[in-house]
Structures are given as structure tokens and as C-alpha cells.
Amino acid sequence: SEVLPRLRKGDILTHCFRPFPNAPIFASGAVRPDMRLARERGVIFDIGHGMGSFDFEVAKAMLKEGLAPDVISSDVHLYCVDGPAFDILVCMSKLLALGMPLVEVLRAATQRPAEAIARPELGALAVGAVGDIAVLRLRPGSFTFVDAVGASLVAEQRLVSDGIVVGGTWWPNEAANDFGDTERFEANAHETHVDIVARHFGRGGSPPLRGRCRRRRQRGSVRPGSPSCNGWRLALDVRRPPLACRPSPPQGGRSQLHPGAP
């Protein structure tokens, strides 16, 4: 209610099908009036499906009222790449299973995002345009998808990629027929962030955990079992070289870490 009235034509509302709080519908299932007004003003509705930002029931209510997303996007990061978001094709397949027409699903993942960032040449195939192509097909079967709140949806088909063409080179997808990741996913699995990080990067092995310590007052913010050192919380950052978790004395109100420190 504070943000939507400020959005103008061309502004992007990401996580537009998110669950409570800040859902676009009321508990009754009715669409909020400010969402309708935002669509009428030309605000762009973007899915941004990550760990906690896509709800099947919200999507059904919005689609029923003709408020389909303008843009289908993934918000994939470490904590949702193994579910529930997985990748953009899973996100597209979920909207397809919810009743969004295939043509509109494809347009919302290609043409409309390109238009939203004022790069229309990226979202269509035409003479003189960028020739990067994803070759997709509809795979029939029985596929179970899960949303951010743990609800399941069984679909009779899903989009898969046979490969991509980039810069004139064909790159086949060797895992085009492997759907084990989505089928093995368990909603609300009791797995901490530390467990997820260790599964991806190892527990002090190779590749090493690369991190930096970020000062944070405790006040209960660091839960038992979370990585911390003397009141400092470890925040993973794979872009930086390994840093020690022991802070040096503050200088000028800021703390320093020295690479290679014991």
C-alpha cells in the first residue's frame, strides 16, 4: 500500500505473485484494488521466483482476474537453486501448468523482459538482431512442482531445453532428460543455511569456503549452529579471497580483516 501508488508506467513490481505478507490478494482471495490500478497505469508485473516469492494460490487468483505476469523471471540463488525455483524453465513450466497460454509464457520470458529494459533487439528473432537462441520443447509426463509455501502442483507437461545457440555455436543440453532434481525436492526440508552452503562448497575442503566476517550485534540474530566467531557472523562471498574470521582492532569506527591471518 506504500509502494504501489508510487509506481509509474514502466516501473517494475517484482515478486508480484508472492504469498503473505505483501501479497497482491486479500485473505479472501480477492485481488487488491491497488494492484488493478497499477496494471492500468502500465506497471510491469514480474514474477522473480526465488525461495519465498511465488504462491500457487496467489497465482491462480491473479490469473483468474486476468492479471497475468508481464515478465516471468527466476530469482535463483544458493538457497533455491535446488528448489523450489530451480531455474527459469521450471518457473515457466509452473505458469504453463497454472493455465497461462504457451505463447504468453514464452513472450513473458523473452520479448517482454527485453522491452522492460529497453533492449527490444534481445527479445525477438529478426534479421540483424542478436542471434542467441534457446531451443525448447514440451515434454509430456507427470511432473510435480512446489511453490514457496510448500504447496504442490502436478503438471502434465513441462518445458525442457535441448540446447542453446550462442555466437553461432551450438551447445547441446546433456541433461535435457534429467528431471530428478525437481522430483526429489522435499518442501520444508529441515536444512539450515550452513547445511546448504556445505553441500555446495564443502566443509572446509575443496573448493574452500570463501568468506568475510561481518560485524553484527548478537541480540539473538546468530542462532545456535550458525557460523560465527567471537560475535562476528560469517557471510559467504565467493567473489573475495579467503579471509580469516578474526577481526583486527577497529580503526576509525571500521573493522579490518587481513588475508592470510591465522
Side-chain angles (χ1 to χ4, degrees), residues 165-193:
V165 176
V166 179
T169 301
W170 167 247
W171 297 87
N173 179 14
E174 298 177 354
N177 296 313
D178 182 5
F179 309 115
D181 51 356
T182 55
E183 297 305 312
R184 287 191 300 266
F185 176 69
E186 296 182 14
N188 303 316
H190 297 290
E191 191 174 36
T192 68
H193 286 189

Side-chain angles (χ1 to χ4, degrees), residues 173-232:
N173 179 14
E174 298 177 354
N177 296 313
D178 182 5
F179 309 115
D181 51 356
T182 55
E183 297 305 312
R184 287 191 300 266
F185 176 69
E186 296 182 14
N188 303 316
H190 297 290
E191 191 174 36
T192 68
H193 286 189
V194 178
D195 295 330
I196 295 173
V197 170
R199 173 157 47 82
H200 280 271
F201 299 106
R203 295 184 180 274
S206 179
L209 289 176
R210 294 182 175 182
R212 56 189 171 89
C213 286
R214 178 181 299 160
R215 191 174 189 179
R216 178 175 297 180
R217 294 183 181 274
Q218 292 298 90
R219 295 181 181 176
S221 63
V222 179
R223 294 176 296 179
S226 62
S228 60
C229 47
N230 299 326
W232 292 69

Side-chain angles (χ1 to χ4, degrees), residues 47-58:
I47 290 294
H49 184 0
M51 185 68 181
S53 52
F54 187 76
D55 186 319
F56 289 149
E57 294 303 316
V58 171

Side-chain angles (χ1 to χ4, degrees), residues 31-200:
V31 176
R32 292 171 43 170
D34 49 5
M35 290 293 292
R36 296 183 182 277
L37 293 174
R39 167 57 62 87
E40 293 173 3
R41 291 196 306 274
V43 174
I44 298 170
F45 289 2
D46 170 40
I47 290 294
H49 184 0
M51 185 68 181
S53 52
F54 187 76
D55 186 319
F56 289 149
E57 294 303 316
V58 171
K60 292 175 183 177
M62 293 286 284
L63 292 173
K64 182 180 179 181
E65 296 299 319
L67 297 174
D70 298 296
V71 174
I72 298 175
S73 64
S74 61
D75 184 11
V76 173
H77 48 78
L78 184 64
Y79 302 129
C80 69
V81 69
D82 292 330
F86 291 102
D87 54 49
I88 184 62
L89 290 182
V90 170
C91 300
M92 294 166 66
S93 297
K94 289 179 179 181
L95 270 299
L96 187 65
L98 287 165
M100 195 169 170
L102 176 60
V103 172
E104 295 302 317
V105 168
L106 295 174
R107 183 176 289 121
T110 54
Q111 179 182 344
R112 297 305 301 274
E115 293 172 348
I117 62 172
R119 294 291 304 276
E121 74 278 6
L122 298 179
L125 295 178
V127 176
V130 177
D132 295 344
I133 303 170
V135 179
L136 309 180
R137 61 184 168 91
L138 277 175
R139 171 71 180 267
S142 180
F143 308 100
T144 302
F145 298 123
V146 179
D147 67 5
V149 298
S152 297
L153 176 69
V154 178
E156 297 179 352
Q157 57 185 354
R158 65 173 286 175
L159 286 164
V160 297
S161 171
D162 284 332
I164 59 175
V165 176
V166 179
T169 301
W170 167 247
W171 297 87
N173 179 14
E174 298 177 354
N177 296 313
D178 182 5
F179 309 115
D181 51 356
T182 55
E183 297 305 312
R184 287 191 300 266
F185 176 69
E186 296 182 14
N188 303 316
H190 297 290
E191 191 174 36
T192 68
H193 286 189
V194 178
D195 295 330
I196 295 173
V197 170
R199 173 157 47 82
H200 280 271

